Structure formats: C-alpha cells, structure tokens
C-alpha cells in the first residue's frame, strides 16, 4: 500500500524525508514575464493513502490494505486506523462533524489569538486584541508612539485593550485625515500572515521551551473535553488525558519535517486536529533517512502520536487550495459570504 520510489541522481544528497517533501510540494509557476520557460507537471498522488477510501473499503468487506490495521478501542465509537510499522500512530478519519469543524475554525480565528495567548505577531507588535473584528471592520494597526494627542484619543481601544499598548487599531481614513505619518499595517494582512497561536502554557519559540512565567489562561474547557475524548485510543486503560498546552498552526503553504520534542513527558499523546483545506501529511521514522508514509488529511480528521510515534519526523509538504481539490465545499456552506471574505488566504 505504501513504499518508496526510484531515487533520481540529483536527489542522492537529500534525505528520504526531504525527497518526499520535494515530491509532493506545490511549486508555484514562475512570473509570466520571466524569461524562464514555464514547466507544468501534475503531482503523482497514486501512493498517497486516502483513509476515506480505507474506511469505505473496511465497511464494505471488513478488510484493510496491507500494512494498515483497524484499531479496536473499547468505548471509543469512531473508526481508528494504524500502521503496523509505526506503533503509537493513530488516524481517526472524519472525527468531527461539519458543525464541529465550523465552530472550531471560528474559535481558531476569533478567540484563540486573543491575549494573553501569544502569536507570531506578539514579538513585533505586542498583544493584539480583537484582530478578527478589526479585519471585518477594515481597520489598520497603528504605532501609537509619536502621534499627537488628538489622534491617540481617536484610536480604538476595547475593554481588554489597554491604552498603554504600543499599537492600536484605527480606521485608516481617520489617521490619513489628520495628515500624520505613522507606521501601520492592515488588519487583513496581519490575519493573512498569522502562523501560530499558543493556548494554555505559553511556548517560548526563542528558547524552544514552555515558559510558566508568561501570563496565560487555561485551555478552554470544550477544547480540553474534545482532546480528552479523542486521545482515548492512545491512552492506557483507566488513564485520562490532561492537556496543558496547545499550539494552533495556521498554514500558509507547508510545514517542514520536524519532531514535537519539547515536552518533558513523552508518554502522553499529541492530539492533532485538522481544520480547513485538504493536505498531505508525511509520517517518517526516527531518522530523516527513513522513507515517510504519505497520507491525505482532511478537515475533521484527527491524528494521535504517542509512544514510539512521538520520535517520528512528520510534516505537511502540500496544502490543496483549489475549489475542488481542497474538499471544503460542505464546510464553506457553514459560513457567511462576509466570513469567507475575511478567511481568504487562510488554509
């Protein structure tokens, strides 16, 4: 069902994982004005495992492809599959309903980036409040320092957004009408460039560890309950999963191969919830030289990585964004046209 492909001469210096990333990555066509010849080629997806097909086949005839097994978890009422040679990895296709997916997408964009949660923008702009609301109202984030008092008084400040903030949201025309030059960036640009936010214990990316001294709130109860329920197949009997931290990734195009190795306790699983466009997920081994398994990830799928799988390299080399290939038509029906406009550029 899964295997390796012939190694090209120019790939001999790349690791097996890097070769797979290159194979499935979407290469953007060069600028039409460029003198370079444009080469158009379709990606061969024949070896990418589709767990929707696996599930349908299992329901029809009760068998799974070679190397893939159905995992039986007493009390867990969703289908779970695993790979025979990747112990500790569990795939739960279609774990979330369309309604649940739309709820968590809204939370991921409207609630989870709210301070004290940190995002990739925090280091540059400080805490940013009500980002999604600012996008809907077509506002810009303005640097407060150096502005006159009357302009500062006109800047928006929510009940959670202190006037001491270095940056505040405002209507672009308000500052322009005052004729003052200032550093600014559109809220829509900030949302489009949002790459991660952290919930619960905050992760310090500069030190690559969790900093308990940083202000933080507990992970929302509903998210905790979902994670506890879905972690069941990867947990020992009579043990309950107790999540303390979460990272929300907002993918622009791909996520390079990596290990999630910052936690002190590797006995607990990683619970990964996929929302939005379809993607390709690569599951490697303990070395980048191990050939990875490629599989489709769809909105609502959940992946668990525990035990030995915690030591496996993994990544996302490809996100499908076309109307048909993204597999999100049913999901988009849950959102208004205004919401879809605000989400544009996010996957």
């Amino acid at each position: 069902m899964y295997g390796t492909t012939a190694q090209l001469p120019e790939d001999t210096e790349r690791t097996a994982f890097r070769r797979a990333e290159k194979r499935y990555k979407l290469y953007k066509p060069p600028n039409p004005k460029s003198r370079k010849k444009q080469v158009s080629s379709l990606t061969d997806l024949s070896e990418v495992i589709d767990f929707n097909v696996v599930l349908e086949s299992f329901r029809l005839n009760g068998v799974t492809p070679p190397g893939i097994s159905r995992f039986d978890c007493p009390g867990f009422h969703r289908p779970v599959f695993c790979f025979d040679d990747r112990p500790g990895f569990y795939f739960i296709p279609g774990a979330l309903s369309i309604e649940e997916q739309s709820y968590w997408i809204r939370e991921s964009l409207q609630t989870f980036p709210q301070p004290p949660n940190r995002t990739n923008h925090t280091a540059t702009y400080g805490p940013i409040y009500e980002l999604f609301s600012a996008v809907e109202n077509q506002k810009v984030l303005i640097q407060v320092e150096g502005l006159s008092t009357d302009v500062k008084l006109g800047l928006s400040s929510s009940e959670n957004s202190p006037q001491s903030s270095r940056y505040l949201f405002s209507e672009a025309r308000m500052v322009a009408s005052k004729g003052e030059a200032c550093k600014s960036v559109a809220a829509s640009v900030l949302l489009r460039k949002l790459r991660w936010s952290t919930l619960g214990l905050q992760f310090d990316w500069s030190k690559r560890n969790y900093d308990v001294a940083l202000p933080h709130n507990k992970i929302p109860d509903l998210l905790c309950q979902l994670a506890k329920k879905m972690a069941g197949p990867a947990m020992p009997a009579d043990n309950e999963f107790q999540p303390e931290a979460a990272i929300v990734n907002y993918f622009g195009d791909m996520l390079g191969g990596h290990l999630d190795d910052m936690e002190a306790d590797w006995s607990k699983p990683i619970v990964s919830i996929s929302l939005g466009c379809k993607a390709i997920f690569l599951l490697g081994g303990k070395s980048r030289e191990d050939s990875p398994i490629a599989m489709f990830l769809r909105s609502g799928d959940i992946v668990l990585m525990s035990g030995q799988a915690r030591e496996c390299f993994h990544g996302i080399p490809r996100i499908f964004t076309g109307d048909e290939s993204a597999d999100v038509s049913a999901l988009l029906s849950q959102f208004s046209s205004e919401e879809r406009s605000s989400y544009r550029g996010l996957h």
Side-chain angles (χ1 to χ4, degrees), residues 107-272:
E107 287 294 285
S108 297
L109 294 173
Q110 299 176 21
T111 305
F112 294 164
Q114 283 282 87
N117 298 340
R118 297 170 67 84
T119 75
N120 55 296
H121 294 316
T122 303
T124 302
Y125 302 104
I128 299 177
Y129 295 83
E130 309 294 347
L131 172 59
F132 193 80
S133 175
V135 173
E136 292 183 310
N137 291 288
Q138 300 182 350
K139 292 189 175 183
V140 295
L141 191 70
I142 295 176
Q143 186 175 27
V144 175
E145 184 180 0
L147 294 179
S148 61
T149 303
D150 62 329
V151 172
K152 289 181 181 179
L153 291 175
L155 296 178
S156 62
S157 175
S158 72
E159 60 182 12
N160 295 319
S161 178
Q163 282 288 356
S164 59
S165 296
R166 293 185 292 124
Y167 288 81
L168 290 173
F169 283 116
S170 173
E171 295 182 4
R173 64 177 181 272
M174 188 277 290
V175 177
S177 67
K178 300 293 183 180
E180 294 196 24
C182 59
K183 183 178 180 181
S184 64
V185 58
S188 58
V189 172
L190 291 173
L191 185 64
R192 192 165 62 247
K193 293 186 177 181
L194 188 64
R195 291 294 173 262
W196 54 262
S197 61
T198 48
L199 314 180
L201 292 177
Q202 297 294 289
F203 191 80
D204 187 332
W205 292 89
S206 62
K207 300 177 182 177
R208 287 185 55 76
N209 62 20
Y210 290 96
D211 189 343
V212 296
L214 290 173
H216 64 276
N217 294 329
K218 290 184 178 180
I219 296 177
D221 288 341
L222 282 179
L223 186 57
C224 272
Q225 293 170 20
L226 176 63
K228 288 179 182 179
K229 181 169 66 174
M230 293 300 169
M235 293 295 293
D238 301 323
N239 281 23
E240 186 178 58
F241 184 55
Q242 298 289 346
E244 296 179 305
I247 298 177
V248 184
N249 289 307
Y250 309 85
F251 297 125
D253 50 9
M254 65 174 291
L255 179 67
H258 65 284
L259 292 175
D260 294 313
D261 55 359
M262 291 300 103
E263 292 79 17
D265 184 2
W266 281 25
S267 66
K268 303 300 186 295
I270 292 172
V271 180
S272 179

